[in-house]
Amino acid sequence: MHKTRVRVVRDALDANETIAKANRDDFDRHGVTVVNLMGSPGAGKTTLLEAALAPDLGRRAGVLEGDVHGNLDADRLASLHVPVTQLNTDAGFGGECHLDANMVRSALPQLPLDELDLLVIENVGNLVCPAEFRVGEHHRVMVSSIAEGDDKPLKYPLMFRACELVAITKIDLIPYVRFDLERYHYHLRAVHPDVRTIELSATTGEGVAAWRTWLAEIGVGEPAGV
Amino acid sequence: MHKTRVRVVRDALDANETIAKANRDDFDRHGVTVVNLMGSPGAGKTTLLEAALAPDLGRRAGVLEGDVHGNLDADRLASLHVPVTQLNTDAGFGGECHLDANMVRSALPQLPLDELDLLVIENVGNLVCPAEFRVGEHHRVMVSSIAEGDDKPLKYPLMFRACELVAITKIDLIPYVRFDLERYHYHLRAVHPDVRTIELSATTGEGVAAWRTWLAEIGVGEPAGV
């Protein structure tokens, strides 16, 4: 039984890699840089997009919004006047806790790739499974709120290793919570020594310029800034 | 392909139900009330246990600590002098994002059921899959931090429907974040009209007495207080 399960999981991951490669070829053909944005529920993924995707970013940006259910985040982003496509994992995908390459592939016909330079795929809020499924992205960003605690890199090491940039959000809350920023960085370096970080607060605006610059400058090639 | 996948998922859920029933029979035979504690990474699940499981709770309590990796939370709880058993999903279970009945069954031999009246199973931090896998528990509690935002019941409805009690944590942060408590309750009632709630802050102590009373009084029968 256990062996069968391992085989099923491996087959699924192999198939995912194949489809992710096909997605990436499509993105490359259209010259679209793709970012996979991951993090816990409520880490601030959508808020980071609201803070960055203004017309003066200098790139034609779009969003593929992944959620188990509903379109609250897509509605929030609609006011930014960038193309937003909703992808729900409870509609035909069994309520999956992550996006996979095939789900993203099913959404490609709805994406105006010819009109974009940058596509951000906001993954389902989850610190485990999204790290295991590439979707065809060029870059992986993890959003980690200080409200979640300074131990999270040690508890979810795969996710913190899978990304090239950690956006540390809600740093304006540090005075009010039990969170040691130095200890957080220490834990983060232990699981991913070279990872880039940006400390952010959408409330005070701290770090938002660095985040926007990162998004404005990343290309389809090597991970930017690492 | 899709049909096969649906069948595999259904078979797995059927097997899970069978094993969950066996676990529950074991818990009942030993007279142990079992609580499945679920919530996002960093919602405050371990902190809630630290706040409640003092010797004066009046019940012999133990903890089964579920994590993808590591034993940070078990170490935190060890100072409470209650029996704590660690269960890692990356050791033999492929790094699963949730506990299932079979994982819990594998830990039963390590649990001193004869010496317990109450067992709290702290699930992996995740708002999606834990709701789909019963582990043999009598009661399901969801821990939901206000730092995650007031839209969460609408975005993760299955989890909010699966529990009988929502512990709303970190309410001392309300002055510092964009969170409308009335809107949160409105959304929560929309997905689970009769769910019981306790508003808590481990920092100020607000609500901790109500949470301890709930834990002290729940039995193996009908969900308490609903």
Side-chain angles (χ1 to χ4, degrees):
Chain A
M1 174 66 193
H2 190 249
K3 221 173 215 174
T4 308
R5 182 178 169 191
V6 168
R7 190 173 52 73
V8 168
V9 170
R10 204 176 42 218
D11 286 354
L13 286 174
D14 283 352
N16 189 72
E17 280 302 305
T18 304
I19 302 169
K21 175 78 171 59
N23 291 348
R24 179 136 170 183
D25 288 346
D26 284 349
F27 296 140
D28 286 343
R29 196 165 40 249
H30 289 87
V32 183
T33 301
V34 178
V35 174
N36 185 355
L37 193 64
M38 304 180 287
S40 287
K45 298 182 289 302
T46 310
T47 301
L48 275 194
L49 294 181
E50 288 178 311
L53 297 185
D56 63 346
L57 183 64
R59 305 182 85 165
R60 299 173 303 166
V63 178
L64 178 60
E65 185 56 54
D67 283 301
V68 177
H69 180 83
N71 52 3
L72 287 174
D73 291 346
D75 287 351
R76 279 172 66 185
L77 295 172
S79 63
L80 300 174
H81 304 293
V82 300
V84 179
T85 301
Q86 179 73 49
L87 177 54
N88 284 128
T89 70
D90 70 352
F93 297 109
E96 293 282 351
C97 62
H98 57 274
L99 295 181
D100 67 24
N102 199 39
M103 296 177 203
V104 169
R105 190 138 198 91
S106 75
L108 290 191
Q110 277 86 59
L111 291 167
L113 293 181
D114 278 335
E115 298 160 26
L116 299 180
D117 307 309
L118 175 70
L119 174 69
V120 182
I121 300 177
E122 185 180 335
N123 218 308
V124 176
N126 183 341
L127 283 197
V128 189
C129 301
E132 298 183 54
F133 291 86
R134 291 205 161 263
V135 295
E137 71 274 37
H138 302 96
H139 304 279
R140 306 179 108 192
V141 176
M142 206 216 142
V143 184
S144 176
S145 149
I146 68 99
E148 295 167 35
D150 53 30
D151 58 347
K152 290 302 161 293
L154 295 183
K155 295 189 66 182
Y156 300 89
L158 182 63
M159 175 61 81
F160 283 89
R161 274 189 207 115
C163 61
E164 70 188 71
L165 171 67
V166 178
I168 307 167
T169 56
K170 309 191 190 186
I171 57 164
D172 55 292
L173 293 181
I174 286 181
Y176 314 113
V177 297
R178 212 167 43 179
F179 184 93
D180 184 327
L181 192 58
E182 240 176 90
R183 188 183 302 139
Y184 179 90
H185 281 289
Y186 180 80
H187 291 332
L188 181 59
R189 300 291 156 200
V191 302
H192 191 164
D194 303 321
V195 70
R196 182 167 171 186
T197 58
I198 300 178
E199 296 170 9
L200 281 138
S201 164
T203 303
T204 68
E206 189 176 340
V208 170
W211 162 240
R212 295 194 70 207
T213 300
W214 189 87
L215 271 182
E217 293 181 355
I218 48 168
V220 297
E222 284 303 297
V226 290
Chain B
M1 175 67 193
H2 189 250
K3 222 174 214 172
T4 308
R5 182 178 170 191
V6 169
R7 191 173 51 74
V8 168
V9 169
R10 203 176 43 217
D11 286 355
L13 286 173
D14 282 352
N16 189 71
E17 280 301 305
T18 303
I19 302 168
K21 175 76 170 59
N23 291 349
R24 179 137 170 183
D25 287 347
D26 284 349
F27 296 139
D28 286 344
R29 196 165 41 248
H30 289 86
V32 182
T33 301
V34 178
V35 174
N36 185 355
L37 192 65
M38 305 179 287
S40 287
K45 297 181 290 301
T46 310
T47 301
L48 275 193
L49 295 181
E50 289 178 311
L53 297 186
D56 62 347
L57 182 65
R59 305 183 86 165
R60 298 173 304 166
V63 178
L64 178 59
E65 185 55 55
D67 282 302
V68 177
H69 180 84
N71 53 3
L72 288 174
D73 290 347
D75 287 351
R76 281 172 64 185
L77 295 171
S79 63
L80 300 174
H81 304 292
V82 300
V84 178
T85 301
Q86 179 72 51
L87 176 55
N88 284 129
T89 69
D90 71 352
F93 297 110
E96 293 281 351
C97 62
H98 58 275
L99 296 181
D100 66 25
N102 200 39
M103 297 177 202
V104 169
R105 190 139 198 91
S106 75
L108 290 190
Q110 277 85 58
L111 290 168
L113 293 181
D114 278 336
E115 298 161 25
L116 298 180
D117 306 309
L118 175 70
L119 174 69
V120 182
I121 300 177
E122 185 180 336
N123 219 307
V124 176
N126 183 342
L127 284 197
V128 187
C129 301
E132 298 183 54
F133 292 86
R134 291 206 161 262
V135 295
E137 72 274 36
H138 302 95
H139 303 280
R140 307 180 108 192
V141 175
M142 205 216 142
V143 184
S144 174
S145 148
I146 67 99
E148 296 167 36
D150 53 29
D151 58 347
K152 290 302 162 293
L154 295 183
K155 295 189 66 182
Y156 301 90
L158 181 62
M159 176 62 80
F160 282 89
R161 273 188 208 117
C163 61
E164 70 189 71
L165 170 68
V166 177
I168 306 168
T169 57
K170 310 192 189 185
I171 57 165
D172 55 292
L173 293 182
I174 286 180
Y176 313 112
V177 297
R178 212 167 43 178
F179 183 93
D180 183 328
L181 193 57
E182 240 176 89
R183 189 183 302 140
Y184 179 90
H185 281 289
Y186 179 81
H187 291 332
L188 181 58
R189 300 292 156 197
V191 302
H192 192 163
D194 302 321
V195 70
R196 182 168 170 185
T197 58
I198 301 178
E199 296 169 9
L200 283 137
S201 164
T203 303
T204 67
E206 189 176 340
V208 169
W211 161 240
R212 295 194 70 207
T213 300
W214 189 88
L215 271 182
E217 293 182 353
I218 48 168
V220 297
E222 284 304 298
V226 288

